[in-house]
Amino acid sequence: PDDGQIVIRKGLRLAFLDQEPDLDPKRSLEETILASDIPVLKIIESYETALKNPEDVDAYQKAFEAMDRHNAWEFETQYQQTLSQLKLDDLSLKVGTLSGGQKKT
């Protein structure tokens, strides 16, 4: 249709999904996911970074508390389960090695 009305529920987030995703083939699946503009993914990314630097106890504590505060544990579990169901268990895979269908999921 060329015209009409869209009614959006409060709290609903809309996004445009391109038919052909513009993904960096050199990035890993995990890097691509965490590069999203979804705020909870930024929290998960901070936590993952803190895990890689255990000597920075303060950064780890802040990241851990943010994960709790934003219920990011549940979100992380859900997206990992979804990826597993799609047979995308290895988050270190480069996007360039994925099939066209895998890139669109």
Side-chain angles (χ1 to χ4, degrees):
D2 292 330
D3 57 26
Q5 184 178 5
I6 298 174
V7 178
I8 302 172
R9 285 191 333 234
K10 184 178 180 179
L12 186 67
R13 181 176 171 199
L14 290 180
F16 174 77
L17 184 60
D18 203 348
Q19 273 301 106
E20 289 298 320
D22 183 25
L23 303 173
D24 183 347
K26 296 177 193 131
R27 277 189 168 172
S28 71
L29 187 55
E30 182 175 40
E31 290 168 333
T32 301
I33 291 167
L34 295 177
S36 162
D37 65 348
I38 299 172
V40 71
L41 286 174
K42 296 298 179 199
I43 293 165
I44 293 169
E45 181 179 27
S46 294
Y47 178 73
E48 294 292 333
T49 301
L51 287 177
K52 293 174 186 170
N53 301 300
E55 67 281 350
D56 190 348
V57 178
D58 188 47
Y60 173 79
Q61 186 62 37
K62 286 179 182 176
F64 186 89
E65 289 171 1
M67 290 286 286
D68 275 345
R69 193 170 45 254
H70 297 281
N71 198 23
W73 306 110
E74 180 66 24
F75 187 89
E76 182 181 36
T77 300
Q78 287 176 347
Y79 92 72
Q80 287 178 346
Q81 286 175 345
T82 300
L83 290 172
S84 180
Q85 290 170 346
L86 296 169
K87 306 289 187 249
L88 295 171
D89 297 305
D90 185 357
L91 298 182
S92 67
L93 285 175
K94 298 296 181 193
V95 170
T97 66
L98 302 176
S99 72
Q102 288 174 317
K103 289 177 187 177
K104 290 181 180 186
T105 57

